[in-house]
Amino acid sequence: MLEDREIVRRFLATNLQVHPAVVSYLRERQNPDLIEDILAAVPEGAVVVGPQHLPGLKTERDGTRFLGDPSLEIISGHAVPNGKGVEFTDFMHYFRDRYTRLSQMMRSRVSPLPIEALVRNSRYRQEDAGIIGMVTDVRTTAKGHRMATLEDATATVPVLFNRDRDIFSEAEKIVPDEVVGVRGKLSSDGNLFFAETLVRPDIPVNNAPYTSDRPGKAVLISDVHVGSDTFLPEAWDRFSSWLATSGAGYLLIAGDLVDGIGIYPGQEHELTIPNIYDQYNAFADMLRRLPGDLQIIAAPGNHDVVRGSEPQPALPPAFTERFPKNVTLVENPALVSLQGVRVLMYHGRSYDDLISMIPGASYTNPAPMMEEMLRRRHLACTYGMRTPIVAAKQDRLIIDPVPEILHTGHVHICGMRRYRNVLCVNAGTWQAQTKFQKQMNIQPTPARATVVDLCTLEAEVRDFSA
Ligand code: D5M
Ligand code: FE
Ligand code: ZN
């Protein structure tokens, strides 16, 4: 077991200090070779080894890119030429990658046996044991218990969560395709596993976020919906004027930049700009009126012109010709570093799934859903519901490394909370209530922007609605 003390000692031995975020990264992986890799890659003259020195953070494709100002770094999800972004594979490989990486995060807490060994070997019957599996099926039994089928590379086993136990409330939140660990006992006939504890990959309890050592402010928004007849131009103008004097260095936009076309039946009757190119050009004009030294990072959402399956590619050049130079287009999701503070941007399509499956979840209160994503270390666990997912060689929707900030949108309702020192921000919208939202009884909170101080990670919501 690689402990914090040992990790720190190893760095000190080479006269380097180590940031707590790096310590938690290494503790989670339990791989001493990684320390050597990091030490080998630290540039000469460095005093403190920080998150920016972690090799795992470089993208698998063409390395970390520094864009203009080195204070902005796209760690993963930068724009790549059409089609080259994802290496397609089959779902078996995709889910295997998910299982391997998420199970690794909880091995030390579960001490799992391979499921096949557990069920085949009679010596494990009615003995305390642990397993880690992907949930292939979950339901409530006739007697009101929760039953989940867990699968690993060797076999599957049904797991029962007794409704009279404390873990039941957690078991009610189990969703298909998440990876969980359980400890408990196999029945005497070997056909059923009785769960006593439920473990999720989760954020380490002692998660220590990185903060910038020089002043900096980031503004987080999403769901601008340019082109819709409910887009709020006056509120945007107030925001735009404020930004010029705000001293903010970064503007992050987590998708649904424009309203798009053909997104829902009858949308053409609710558009003021019916042409998709014109929508992006109008958005470009809005961005051109913002300060030229503001670093703008824009990711797509389900209303944007790119493929809906996640990870969604960055907007292609055909639509962004008029965008100013200070805009960096990224994929959805994307992990960006602002002066070392890592922001995981994700539009949030999976809210539609989580809200339908997790008891107590609702569109009005998105913040608890962000916590559910963090606990599962996954942005969109469940395959085959509302969130389309691409079978890629690597599961890019896994939350790894732990970011300082999780920035989402989609539900059009502002929400904020901190979970184990991760700042969760759901950014709201620039669109008033639509006909569809009226039918669904969704009351949006338009015209809000969240301002984050990169030195303290303190955040405040500013209201531009009046
Ligand atoms: O999502 C705008 C809002 O509408 C947001 O609260 C999610 C909700 N929404 C979107 N699609 C659906 C479906 N199919 N069912 C229920 N609720 C939905 P936007 O992505 O901007 O259209
Ligand atoms: Fe939206
Ligand atoms: Zn959306």
Side-chain angles (χ1 to χ4, degrees):
M1 179 81 190
L2 194 53
E3 295 196 27
D4 291 12
R5 257 178 309 142
E6 174 60 23
I7 296 168
V8 174
R9 203 189 52 75
R10 183 68 194 87
F11 282 92
L12 287 177
T14 51
N15 288 322
L16 284 163
Q17 294 175 46
V18 59
H19 188 276
V22 176
V23 177
S24 17
Y25 177 89
L26 289 165
R27 183 199 321 113
E28 196 160 79
R29 279 163 186 76
Q30 291 294 315
N31 177 1
D33 294 346
L34 263 178
I35 303 183
E36 305 312 316
D37 294 349
I38 293 169
L39 284 172
V42 171
E44 224 169 294
V47 182
V48 184
V49 180
Q52 69 276 26
H53 299 122
L54 296 178
L57 304 193
K58 302 270 191 269
T59 110
E60 67 277 9
R61 292 199 288 268
D62 54 359
T64 303
R65 298 197 322 173
F66 289 91
L67 294 127
D69 182 349
S71 61
L72 169 65
E73 185 188 332
I74 308 304
I75 297 169
S76 71
H78 54 75
V80 287
N82 217 359
K84 297 228 179 82
V86 177
E87 259 194 279
F88 291 89
T89 178
D90 52 55
F91 278 94
M92 204 178 74
H93 282 92
Y94 171 75
F95 283 120
R96 189 179 295 158
D97 181 59
R98 179 188 295 194
Y99 178 83
T100 307
R101 288 164 61 199
L102 293 178
S103 62
Q104 194 57 38
M105 295 177 190
M106 48 189 166
R107 286 199 91 73
S108 62
R109 284 173 285 150
V110 181
S111 309
L113 288 167
I115 293 175
E116 190 187 31
L118 172 84
V119 295
R120 280 275 175 83
N121 197 325
S122 57
R123 79 186 160 104
Y124 295 123
R125 307 273 154 92
Q126 293 180 289
E127 290 293 322
D128 186 54
I131 51 174
I132 295 179
M134 186 176 291
V135 176
T136 58
D137 175 63
V138 59
R139 61 193 174 85
T140 304
T141 67
K143 294 206 169 116
H145 305 301
R146 195 83 170 145
M147 181 89 93
T149 306
L150 293 197
E151 176 175 322
D152 69 7
T154 65
T156 67
V157 68
V159 178
L160 189 95
F161 299 85
N162 191 303
R163 63 169 193 191
D164 301 320
R165 295 292 193 91
D166 288 348
I167 47 163
F168 186 73
S169 58
E170 273 314 309
E172 277 193 293
K173 297 183 195 160
I174 292 176
V175 299
D177 309 323
E178 72 167 305
V179 178
V180 295
V182 288
R183 287 202 64 87
K185 288 184 177 127
L186 194 66
S187 61
S188 52
D189 64 6
N191 289 330
L192 184 61
F193 191 84
F194 295 102
E196 275 152 26
T197 55
L198 173 63
V199 177
R200 288 206 164 90
D202 221 319
I203 305 297
V205 261
N206 50 357
N207 175 45
Y210 184 84
T211 51
S212 174
D213 43 20
R214 61 194 174 85
K217 266 194 251 176
V219 178
L220 275 42
I221 63 167
S222 72
D223 296 86
V224 191
H225 287 269
V226 174
S228 159
D229 62 9
T230 43
F231 168 65
L232 298 164
E234 292 86 7
W236 180 270
D237 287 345
R238 282 188 286 273
F239 172 58
S240 182
S241 313
W242 169 82
L243 258 183
T245 60
S246 67
Y250 311 90
L251 172 65
L252 276 59
I253 317 174
D256 283 0
L257 310 176
V258 301
D259 206 56
I261 49 163
I263 307 294
Y264 57 87
Q267 187 187 19
E268 60 274 18
H269 307 299
E270 293 168 32
L271 291 176
T272 52
I273 309 176
N275 178 294
I276 185 75
Y277 292 94
D278 293 344
Q279 290 181 8
Y280 282 108
N281 286 342
F283 181 59
D285 290 339
M286 288 155 54
L287 298 181
R288 284 180 173 280
R289 290 194 288 272
L290 301 179
D293 57 357
L294 179 70
Q295 295 269 13
I296 303 171
I297 301 107
N302 55 306
H303 280 250
D304 286 290
V305 72
V306 294
R307 146 191 104 209
S309 297
E310 299 174 3
Q312 289 186 283
L315 288 177
F319 298 91
T320 61
E321 266 168 17
R322 301 253 294 261
F323 281 33
K325 294 263 180 304
N326 53 330
V327 178
T328 302
L329 299 165
V330 294
E331 298 183 345
N332 170 43
L335 181 67
V336 306
S337 159
L338 314 175
Q339 301 176 191
V341 173
R342 292 157 299 172
V343 186
L344 179 56
M345 300 171 72
Y346 174 58
H347 178 63
R349 189 73 205 266
S350 67
Y351 282 115
D352 296 335
D353 296 331
L354 288 172
I355 285 165
S356 70
M357 292 185 294
I358 295 190
S362 82
Y363 279 107
T364 19
N365 193 8
M369 292 300 97
M370 306 183 84
E371 183 176 321
E372 299 298 341
M373 291 175 190
L374 290 171
R375 298 181 64 204
R376 289 166 180 75
R377 295 291 291 270
H378 205 281
L379 295 168
C381 278
T382 304
Y383 177 77
M385 291 181 73
R386 291 262 182 70
T387 313
I389 295 171
V390 173
K393 282 229 164 91
Q394 293 191 317
D395 186 351
R396 285 266 320 278
L397 298 164
I398 289 178
I399 302 175
D400 186 33
V402 177
E404 276 69 39
I405 303 172
L406 175 58
H407 169 203
T408 64
H410 187 56
V411 297
H412 292 207
I413 293 173
C414 253
M416 201 194 318
R417 78 161 42 179
R418 242 171 258 273
Y419 176 66
R420 295 192 174 172
N421 288 326
V422 180
L423 173 64
C424 304
V425 175
N426 193 285
T429 180
W430 297 86
Q431 181 183 41
Q433 191 183 43
T434 62
K435 276 197 194 120
F436 173 77
Q437 289 160 5
K438 204 177 170 110
Q439 280 167 18
M440 303 292 294
N441 199 22
I442 294 171
Q443 306 284 344
T445 57
R448 310 292 205 281
T450 303
V451 188
V452 184
D453 182 324
L454 299 175
C455 297
T456 61
L457 300 181
E458 291 302 317
E460 63 164 338
V461 178
R462 293 190 77 97
D463 184 349
F464 297 93
S465 60

